[in-house]
Amino acid sequence: MSLTEIYQRVENAADQAGRSVDEITLIAVSKVQPLDRVESVLKAGHTVFGENRVQEAAGKWPAFRETYPGITLHLLGPLQTNKINQALDLFDAIHALDREKLARKLATAVQARGQCPELFIQVNTGEEPQKAGVLPDELDGFVALCRGELDLPIRGLMCIPPVDEEPSLHFALLRKMAERNGLDGLSMGMSADFERAIALGATHIRVGSAIFGERVA
Ligand SMILES: *Cc1c(COP(=O)(O)O)cnc(C)c1O
């Protein structure tokens, strides 16, 4: 599907929800995609991209950034504490803040640098044992820790719904948790469900295969 078609679908979904398309950031998820596919999206003028791994991003984005100005890069996958500084060099936003140890080390690194990327707390809305994210019951305490003691500005919440459940239930739950914590950023919705996410208030949608084609892993 072309980028133009995706823009059109985002706009239609925003219209239907009575929202402005300007409230929605389309993150083109370029993980494991061949470089020529990524480059064609860059050439089309798209500037916001998402990657899952620090190492992989470090291998391709510094060079792209020299050619294409104004790129914003979002880290979507889990962050190991020993990669924090490399991640802060590369990324403008981190979507998988998911545990206290990471928050503490991130706070120290951010303080030393005097600047902080946009931070989203990942919530394990499906309470899946194998999945990263703060459990719903522990979220309010974690938000308070980040904002209070650690002085980390939190932009919003992020979730990846269980594959076998209706994503809208998880999007609605995430929104409720964001509202009760006074957060307005919602990173939710992927290729198969970004329109439903927009209907439920998504501010950041993460779309990979619908833009780039199936991943050849
Ligand atoms: C891969 C990935 C996406 C994009 O998935 P698609 O189904 O290809 O759109 C979005 N978010 C995260 C966290 C991912 O890992």
Side-chain angles (χ1 to χ4, degrees), residues 19 22-25 95 118-121 139 143 147 153-158 171 174-188 197-198 200-205:
R19 303 180 58 202
D22 300 338
E23 297 170 17
I24 299 153
T25 301
H95 289 242
E118 283 200 312
L119 298 176
F120 293 82
I121 295 172
L139 178 70
V143 172
R147 283 174 163 166
I154 301 298
R155 174 75 177 83
L157 305 180
M158 176 271 216
F171 298 156
L174 196 71
R175 177 187 187 151
K176 222 162 123 184
M177 292 188 291
E179 277 170 358
R180 95 177 166 232
N181 282 285
L183 294 166
D184 55 16
L186 286 171
S187 167
M188 59 191 198
I198 289 170
L200 288 162
T203 57
H204 294 71
I205 55 173

Side-chain angles (χ1 to χ4, degrees), residues 29 31 52 76-77 158 160 189-192 206-210 215:
V29 185
K31 66 181 183 205
N52 262 35
L76 309 177
M158 176 271 216
I160 308 172
M190 316 202 300
S191 290
R206 313 179 307 263
V207 181
S209 43
R215 283 181 286 277

